[in-house]
Amino acid sequence: MSKLFRFGVSLDKDLLDKFDRLIRAKNYPNRSEAFRDLIRKELVKREWQKAAEIAGAITLIYDHHKRELLNKLTNIQHDFQNLIVSTQHIHLDHNNCLEIIVVKGNPKQAQKLADTLKAVKGVKYGTLSMSTTGKEIK
Ligand code: NI
């Protein structure tokens, strides 16, 4: 385990009050953990801009009755097969499906896959959760 360092942070009262409200709203046990999370978030953001390998998840909501939609989504995923780790399909109700596509690899490719899938006609909603392989973060 790496060594723990302490350092002081100067903040004006207003900003600190806002930070403390945020900490309470998000149920952080203390300021240190909230601060660490903010740093990690920025590091992950940077990984998505700079790193060679990231991990993440694309979530799609769509109506599987839409003509050709399933074929299109499958064809796109085959074009990105090196990037996709796994896909989970959940039948939400009679019409709607939720699909979670786990990706690991080049961040630009992951963004491109997410954009391409979201742009398919019939996809109601799509998100890309930018995460990390964890290698760069303690
Ligand atoms: Ni389904």
Side-chain angles (χ1 to χ4, degrees), residues 87-100:
T87 302
Q88 189 175 17
H89 184 110
I90 293 115
H91 312 303
L92 287 178
D93 58 31
H94 186 68
N95 302 314
N96 294 296
C97 305
L98 182 157
E99 201 160 304
I100 303 165

Side-chain angles (χ1 to χ4, degrees), residues 38-94:
L38 287 176
I39 293 171
R40 290 186 200 113
K41 200 162 134 191
E42 286 306 309
L43 290 173
V44 170
K45 217 193 267 178
R46 196 175 158 76
E47 257 186 67
W48 275 75
Q49 290 161 354
K50 307 262 182 201
E53 190 183 54
I54 48 72
I58 300 162
T59 305
L60 301 174
I61 305 290
Y62 56 83
D63 181 342
H64 70 97
H65 292 117
K66 286 266 189 253
R67 224 178 116 79
E68 283 300 297
L69 178 60
L70 284 176
N71 263 340
K72 281 182 198 161
L73 295 179
T74 304
N75 284 337
I76 294 165
Q77 291 187 49
H78 276 265
D79 288 341
F80 288 83
Q81 50 153 316
N82 294 332
L83 191 73
I84 297 172
V85 178
S86 80
T87 302
Q88 189 175 17
H89 184 110
I90 293 115
H91 312 303
L92 287 178
D93 58 31
H94 186 68

